[in-house]
Amino acid sequence: MSVLVVGSIALDTVKTPLEEHADLLGGSASYAAVGASFFSPVNLVGIVGNDFPGEHLEFLRARKIDLTGLQQVEGKTFRWSGEYMWDLNTRETRSVELNVFEHFTPTLPGAYTGAQIVLLANIAPKLQSHVLDQMNRPLFTIADTMDLWINIAREDLEALIKRVDMLILNDGEARQFTGETSLIKAGHKIRAMGPRFVAIKKGEHGCLLFGEGEFFSCAAYPLEDIHDPTGAGDTFAGGLAGHLAAGLANGGGGIDFARLRQAVVYGSVLASYNVEAFSLERLRSIKTHDIDARYQAFRALSQFEAIG
Ligand code: AMP
């Protein structure tokens, strides 16, 4: 039961008020694939240039991520640079160099087309739809997006979300997409546009999950030290997708709201680790028992007694 992850693979330069690091492993698919790999095998589709460091490929392989679908072509890898403000939440993009990403067409190796769980990490919605065109009846499809596509490719995005089971986006994007100030109204409005489930991420304030007549508000695990929030959303989506795949592999059955609730919590646990260091460094060092321990701590924190 592998998860198919398609998205960007990047070399990032990230500046926070206290630190700056250049040429880090990044990209929506890198975070998502590594996040998912803690729970299930992963097939990765993306593109890099011939400048992409071999050590990153080794790291991905060591996480048991299948790279048959990774295209390595002549040219430079996609580069992105961002700067965080003092709240470590507000971010400005400083530069984007598309490089080989400009002509990326995600092409699935035959063995990937039967994947049951598909995570369309952040790339142009037209490319995300192109992936779905190649799939052979997946059980559950998830799409992530960003403000850029809401601005420049709204029609493509609207067409895509009619075809996916779940859309994941952040609070600002949900408001931008729907024109609603209330996130609850925004969640319902997006569901009415197609996806059965919607997750709205609120950074350090957690996430909201919407389903058919069902709603779940998940806090974020409270952290004292956040070093780099880049990729938190992608790691969340990857962890969620991986956890769903593991559930199917272990117990079969379909994907219902209860399963998604649990997957959202596991996704949040993984995202909480990811932000503790730059790039994917923290995900490199954690083990399954760390995830389980934080899940239990998170659970204990989230329970409360009724008064009276
Ligand atoms: P997030 O912090 O979840 O918004 O994701 C950050 C990652 O998205 C970084 O590692 C970037 O390399 C990647 N990224 C930035 N802009 C784009 C874009 N236009 N398309 C795909 N990935 C992007």
Side-chain angles (χ1 to χ4, degrees):
M1 181 67 67
S2 297
V3 176
L4 171 65
V5 174
V6 185
S8 63
I9 299 170
L11 295 174
D12 289 346
T13 296
V14 177
K15 186 175 188 317
T16 68
L18 300 179
E19 284 172 87
E20 176 163 3
H21 296 279
D23 299 335
L24 304 166
L25 174 60
S28 58
S30 309
Y31 285 104
V34 173
S37 73
F38 284 95
F39 302 107
S40 95
V42 177
N43 295 334
L44 177 63
V45 172
I47 191 166
V48 294
N50 51 8
D51 61 344
F52 192 68
E55 63 180 290
H56 296 335
L57 297 176
E58 284 315 309
F59 166 55
L60 296 171
R61 277 196 198 100
R63 293 259 9 124
K64 306 257 182 308
I65 296 169
D66 185 293
L67 301 182
T68 315
L70 179 73
Q71 304 168 29
Q72 186 156 25
V73 299
E74 189 70 32
K76 284 170 73 181
T77 300
F78 172 52
R79 280 168 191 266
W80 173 84
S81 167
E83 176 170 0
Y84 289 90
M85 307 301 122
W86 188 253
D87 64 0
L88 281 182
N89 188 31
T90 321
R91 177 172 84 191
E92 266 176 26
T93 294
R94 294 204 299 187
S95 66
V96 175
E97 280 177 49
L98 290 176
N99 300 327
V100 297
F101 197 43
E102 190 170 359
H103 302 293
F104 175 48
T105 304
T107 305
L108 270 48
Y112 288 11
T113 59
Q116 294 291 285
I117 307 283
V118 180
L119 174 53
L120 305 167
N122 176 32
I123 45 171
K126 219 177 199 141
L127 298 184
Q128 292 174 311
S129 286
H130 182 61
V131 172
L132 294 183
D133 293 341
Q134 298 167 69
M135 295 300 306
N136 183 17
R137 296 165 62 86
L139 186 70
F140 199 78
T141 53
I142 307 165
D144 196 351
T145 194
M146 73 186 293
D147 52 354
L148 175 71
W149 312 122
I150 299 171
N151 280 331
I152 69 167
R154 192 186 172 93
E155 277 184 23
D156 295 341
L157 183 60
E158 285 179 358
L160 170 79
I161 68 171
K162 287 191 173 57
R163 304 177 64 189
V164 296
D165 295 293
M166 180 171 191
L167 181 69
I168 300 181
L169 71 182
N170 72 29
D171 43 7
E173 293 156 358
R175 290 190 170 106
Q176 179 193 358
F177 193 34
T178 60
E180 296 288 350
T181 48
S182 154
L183 292 179
I184 308 296
K185 282 188 182 161
H188 291 311
K189 214 165 170 175
I190 298 169
R191 274 200 70 247
M193 296 165 84
R196 279 194 293 144
F197 302 102
V198 174
I200 301 183
K201 300 165 289 175
K202 302 185 294 171
E204 63 182 323
H205 303 298
C207 130
L208 304 174
L209 176 66
F210 300 80
E212 170 85 67
E214 287 166 303
F215 174 73
F216 174 52
S217 174
C218 180
Y221 185 80
L223 291 170
E224 266 186 45
D225 285 316
I226 297 177
H227 287 273
D228 174 16
T230 309
D234 309 307
T235 309
F236 166 82
L240 181 148
H243 195 268
L244 290 177
L248 290 178
N250 293 334
I255 291 173
D256 58 11
F257 200 77
R259 277 211 172 158
L260 268 180
R261 260 177 86 125
Q262 218 193 12
V264 158
V265 178
Y266 273 99
S268 303
V269 165
L270 271 182
S272 76
Y273 275 117
N274 180 59
V275 302
E276 288 180 338
F278 275 71
S279 181
L280 287 95
E281 284 311 306
R282 192 69 180 103
L283 298 183
R284 243 181 233 272
S285 64
I286 58 167
K287 302 270 182 286
T288 307
H289 63 82
D290 296 307
I291 296 170
D292 292 338
R294 188 164 284 183
Y295 175 83
Q296 293 306 339
F298 198 11
R299 202 169 156 216
L301 273 173
S302 307
Q303 282 172 343
F304 58 87
E305 303 296 330
I307 301 172

